[in-house]
Amino acid sequence: MRMFMATMLATTFAATLTAGALVSGSAAIAQQKPAPEGASVYFVSPEEGATVSSPVRVVFGLTGMGIAPAGVEKAATGHHHLIIDVDPESLDLSGALPADENVVHFGGGQTETEIDLAPGEHTLYLLLGDENHIPFDPPILSEPLTITVE
């Protein structure tokens, strides 16, 4: 309970500071950054069309850029977001990505994960975001990966 209260207080304090800065005009609104030429994300594993069991081990790949945690501004870096069973075109890719069961953030700079998926067919995408969870322009988006979970 103490941890929950401390988190709530810290979140409220940060939101209050941010709101005050935005009202006073002293904070810049985050915008999309240009994608470095040739940058791409891809799945190392599983392979396209694989039949797997849950939890599913997913390994992310990246070329033309580096990985940095969310909140760390460093040129030509970003962090992964795993999109599960959602068409990326249905998301607002001009702003910060939502965090929910279909858009999983890896803001710690992780390059692999294990995810629990229900039996059936699933389509996954990787999308690289900047330090503010905002996709690059144009989006650095993987090809879809379709897998079947037994």
Side-chain angles (χ1 to χ4, degrees), residues 1-14:
M1 185 65 170
R2 286 185 197 160
M3 181 60 113
F4 174 76
M5 291 302 294
T7 301
M8 290 301 296
L9 287 171
T11 302
T12 302
F13 180 71

Side-chain angles (χ1 to χ4, degrees), residues 20-70:
L22 289 174
V23 168
S24 70
S26 63
I29 296 176
Q31 296 180 2
Q32 282 183 290
K33 294 181 178 179
E37 191 171 328
S40 66
V41 290
Y42 58 93
F43 291 97
V44 174
S45 69
E47 294 182 3
E48 171 64 26
T51 298
V52 296
S53 57
S54 193
V56 180
R57 182 171 180 256
V58 182
V59 180
F60 317 143
L62 173 64
T63 59
M65 291 184 70
I67 295 292

Side-chain angles (χ1 to χ4, degrees), residues 7-148:
T7 301
M8 290 301 296
L9 287 171
T11 302
T12 302
F13 180 71
T16 301
L17 286 178
T18 301
L22 289 174
V23 168
S24 70
S26 63
I29 296 176
Q31 296 180 2
Q32 282 183 290
K33 294 181 178 179
E37 191 171 328
S40 66
V41 290
Y42 58 93
F43 291 97
V44 174
S45 69
E47 294 182 3
E48 171 64 26
T51 298
V52 296
S53 57
S54 193
V56 180
R57 182 171 180 256
V58 182
V59 180
F60 317 143
L62 173 64
T63 59
M65 291 184 70
I67 295 292
V72 175
E73 186 174 0
K74 187 174 179 185
T77 65
H79 66 277
H80 294 287
H81 298 84
L82 180 63
I83 301 173
I84 305 169
D85 295 329
V86 171
D87 182 351
E89 291 184 16
S90 70
L91 300 172
D92 176 7
L93 300 182
S94 66
L97 294 167
D100 58 31
E101 66 275 0
N102 297 102
V103 181
V104 183
H105 292 238
F106 294 93
Q110 304 93 314
T111 57
E112 63 182 80
T113 190
E114 285 193 352
I115 55 172
D116 290 317
L117 293 173
E121 187 174 280
H122 297 277
T123 302
L124 310 176
Y125 293 86
L126 285 174
L127 178 61
L128 204 68
D130 69 10
E131 71 275 7
N132 297 307
H133 302 283
I134 300 173
F136 291 86
D137 184 22
I140 302 171
L141 180 67
S142 73
E143 293 293 323
L145 173 72
T146 302
I147 58 173
T148 302

